[in-house]
Amino acid sequence: MKLLRVLPFSKYLLSETIVAGETVVDATAGNGNDTLFLAEHVGDEGHVYAFDIQQAALNSTAERLGELNERVSLILDSHDNVEQYVTGPIGGAVFNLGYLPYSDDLSIVTKPETTIKAIHTLLGLLKKGGIIAVSVYDGHEGGKEERDALLGYVKTLHQADVHVIRYELLNQRNNPPFLVALEKMRDFETVKQVD
């Protein structure tokens, strides 16, 4: 087996669980790479909800999608409002934390409170066996706080309900990303947490 970098491994995990016809979520549309990947996987009968708080990100995503735009709802809103748009069930979800790559304003970043709220909500909507893949970039201002809050949150999830892994390449320099993947192990609507 070949060791995958973080983003390809995220896509591998999602491709193992998402099937054609499902609803999925890209919680941080960014430049549209993950949205396109998801749109290709859900097929003509599936649907992708892609969230971003920056119109420039949604414009870039729409351009990348091309003919697949009809499979996607581009939503100019924070991912923590996902329950206003998605009722479930969903086959999977993806996050890329941090800032919009190549943006003119790198001060616009994901926040711990909105990220955790969105993950918490999506876990309730996720099908049994579904995956939420969270790529964590922590080299920017506020990144370490978001990382620590996320890791603290996932450690409270009951292992009978959710399995959580952390995947990273240890010999990369300059704040490389790492992946936190959550797999829903049984059906539930409300996430159980342990102290």
Side-chain angles (χ1 to χ4, degrees):
M1 179 180 150
K2 178 173 121 178
L3 290 178
L4 297 174
R5 292 179 182 252
V6 167
L7 296 180
F9 188 57
S10 171
K11 289 179 178 176
Y12 167 76
L13 292 174
L14 291 166
S15 70
E16 289 291 302
T17 184
I18 295 169
V19 297
E22 288 187 315
T23 297
V24 295
V25 173
D26 184 348
T28 52
N31 289 311
N33 294 311
D34 289 330
T35 307
L36 176 60
F37 168 80
L38 293 172
E40 291 169 343
H41 273 74
V42 298
D44 290 333
E45 302 301 316
H47 198 75
V48 181
Y49 289 87
F51 291 81
D52 211 289
I53 60 170
Q54 296 180 78
Q55 187 62 51
L58 297 180
N59 294 345
S60 177
T61 299
E63 186 176 327
R64 186 172 303 279
L65 287 169
E67 295 177 3
L68 297 182
N69 267 296
E70 62 194 31
R71 298 180 186 177
V72 179
S73 294
L74 297 172
I75 300 168
L76 182 62
D77 199 354
S78 175
H79 50 224
D80 69 324
N81 293 319
V82 65
E83 75 280 354
Q84 295 177 21
Y85 304 91
V86 183
T87 57
I90 63 168
V94 64
F95 290 73
N96 279 290
L97 304 184
Y99 54 80
L100 176 64
Y102 314 111
S103 171
D104 293 333
D105 187 355
L106 301 182
S107 70
I108 302 173
V109 296
T110 54
K111 304 285 186 187
E113 57 277 359
T114 62
T115 296
I116 291 169
K117 182 181 176 195
I119 291 170
H120 195 79
T121 300
L122 289 167
L123 278 171
L125 299 174
L126 191 63
K127 71 178 181 182
K128 180 181 175 183
I131 297 283
I132 298 174
V134 184
S135 296
V136 180
Y137 296 81
D138 60 4
H140 60 280
E141 187 172 333
K144 290 176 178 46
E145 291 79 10
E146 184 174 36
R147 173 201 66 205
D148 293 346
L150 172 66
L151 293 175
Y153 166 74
V154 298
K155 289 176 182 177
T156 71
L157 299 174
H158 197 287
Q159 65 182 0
D161 292 338
V162 182
H163 286 178
V164 183
I165 65 163
R166 178 175 172 163
Y167 179 83
E168 63 187 316
L169 299 178
L170 295 174
N171 62 341
Q172 291 187 333
R173 298 193 179 6
N174 300 324
N175 297 100
F178 65 89
L179 178 70
V180 173
L182 302 90
E183 180 183 11
K184 188 170 183 175
M185 301 309 296
R186 60 183 177 188
D187 289 324
F188 57 83
E189 291 182 19
T190 304
V191 181
K192 291 181 190 168
Q193 294 180 267
V194 294
D195 295 326

